[in-house]
Amino acid sequence: ELAGEENMYAILGISAAVGFSSDGTEITDGEVVINCRCLTSHPSGPCYADDGATVIEFTESDLDFTIVHEMGHFLNLDHSQVNAALYADGDDENDSAIPLMFPLSISVVSLEARTDDIVALATIYPATVFEDQKCLVTGTLLDAEGDEARCIDVWAESTDVADTVAQVSGTLAIAEDDNSDGDTVDSGECTSGCGYFQLYLEPATAYSLNVYDINSLFTGGSSVGPCVNQQLDLGFAGDTIASVTAAQCVAGTTVDLGEITLDVSIDQGDYGDDDGDDGGDDDDGGVGGGSSGYGDDMNPVGYGCSLLKGLGFRGEELGE
């Protein structure tokens, strides 16, 4: 009911940070709502799709994944689309290479954190030895006009797909949501680090740095990176922008790639409109619409993350 009747059978969980320290640097309170309405053997009976015949079921595995995923948001982890093509290939066995922070529920063989999850978490809360144990690769993406490019997914890929690590450009930017539309990508809102990315990688390992568009499905409560209301459509599908050799990737050192110019032009309008529309309201909270729209009682700060059951998302939409 929090997200509207149209989302009753699609959203497995909703989480939000709802309290912050006085200086805004620490999350002090968060909340999670887990949707068990369509859980197998629910006492209210099965859920049916619009056709009235197809049964929709959330399994115990879905529930376990949802709890772990939403706790990740409690710890300030964003969604990740790393290895999204594996989600779409119909082979559940390789889903263990997909991060637990993937926006859609996956079939989990194990609930242990993946490499991308671990690096993201350790970047926020680093142990004393973390930076000494990894090599750090940094860079700044520019478009063809020389402007910093946000919201482009940068993957560091080695020969082992399970070790892929990614960060969306501009994730660590200094920015302010001046028009209260749930993102910080409108004109003038980003002031520093708008195209910057950093990746902590395994030493003595060769990596190819490749750029990807964030899938257009991943918006609103299921967004990836700072672009919340819509994602860029630049045609990137693993385009290589740099390489890091095993000899370069030395523990405790930084490989600074500097400014990397992409062969695309990005207008401010490509990031979404400037009208301040949050894309949802307290009644419907449509999937993928701007701010959370889950209602002020549940989410007084006006934004949250939602995990979707992967109904109708497999196949070409998440393929290459």
Side-chain angles (χ1 to χ4, degrees):
E1 292 181 359
L2 287 168
E5 184 174 354
E6 65 185 28
N7 296 321
M8 186 181 300
Y9 305 145
I11 295 180
L12 297 182
I14 299 168
S15 67
V18 298
F20 301 87
S21 59
S22 58
D23 62 0
T25 61
E26 295 183 1
I27 297 172
T28 59
D29 296 283
E31 56 191 5
V32 164
V33 175
I34 305 295
N35 178 13
C36 294
R37 173 61 185 85
C38 299
L39 189 64
T40 304
S41 301
H42 190 282
S44 296
C47 296
Y48 292 96
D50 291 340
D51 60 13
T54 303
V55 175
I56 301 171
E57 289 186 317
F58 299 162
T59 66
E60 291 289 337
S61 178
D62 288 325
L63 180 61
D64 292 343
F65 178 83
T66 300
I67 293 171
V68 174
H69 176 99
E70 301 301 345
M71 291 304 110
H73 288 312
F74 262 13
L75 297 171
N76 206 28
L77 294 183
D78 193 3
H79 286 133
S80 170
Q81 66 164 13
V82 160
N83 294 330
L86 299 182
Y87 180 90
D89 66 3
D91 180 5
D92 291 344
E93 293 301 315
N94 62 21
D95 285 0
S96 59
I98 302 172
L100 297 179
M101 297 312 297
F102 194 67
L104 304 177
S105 176
I106 61 176
S107 299
V108 289
V109 177
S110 167
L111 287 170
E112 294 181 5
R114 295 10 174 193
T115 300
D116 189 61
D117 300 313
I118 293 169
V119 171
L121 193 61
T123 301
I124 301 173
Y125 310 103
T128 305
V129 297
F130 173 68
E131 293 181 358
D132 294 334
Q133 293 178 339
K134 302 290 184 180
C135 75
L136 175 63
V137 176
T138 64
T140 297
L141 298 185
L142 306 178
D143 72 358
E145 278 69 49
D147 297 321
E148 294 194 25
R150 291 188 86 185
C151 301
I152 298 171
D153 213 6
V154 184
W155 297 18
E157 300 180 77
S158 67
T159 55
D160 186 350
V161 67
D163 285 337
T164 301
V165 174
Q167 189 179 80
V168 181
S169 61
T171 292
L172 303 177
I174 305 300
E176 191 87 21
D177 185 10
D178 294 330
N179 63 358
S180 302
D181 68 344
D183 63 33
T184 59
V185 297
D186 299 302
S187 181
E189 290 185 332
C190 182
T191 58
S192 177
C194 307
Y196 178 78
F197 65 88
Q198 63 177 39
L199 300 163
Y200 284 100
L201 306 179
E202 197 64 28
T205 304
Y207 289 91
S208 175
L209 267 63
N210 306 315
V211 290
Y212 293 81
D213 286 353
I214 298 171
N215 193 283
S216 60
L217 296 171
F218 296 151
T219 57
S222 301
S223 62
V224 176
C227 280
V228 173
N229 296 312
Q230 72 179 49
Q231 301 296 349
L232 297 175
D233 181 14
L234 302 174
F236 291 133
D239 303 59
T240 300
I241 58 170
S243 297
V244 176
T245 67
Q248 288 176 298
C249 195
V250 177
T253 65
T254 298
V255 179
D256 184 7
L257 301 175
E259 295 181 340
I260 301 171
T261 301
L262 306 172
D263 188 23
V264 293
S265 297
I266 304 174
D267 295 326
Q268 188 60 44
D270 294 337
Y271 290 112
D273 56 41
D274 256 322
D275 62 8
D277 180 11
D278 68 5
D281 57 45
D282 287 353
D283 295 325
D284 58 25
V287 174
S291 294
S292 62
Y294 301 137
D296 290 341
D297 291 339
M298 183 268 168
N299 186 0
V301 297
Y303 186 71
C305 294
S306 56
L307 174 67
L308 300 184
K309 175 70 174 174
L311 302 173
F313 290 104
R314 287 194 183 272
E316 294 181 0
E317 288 178 311
L318 284 177
E320 294 180 351

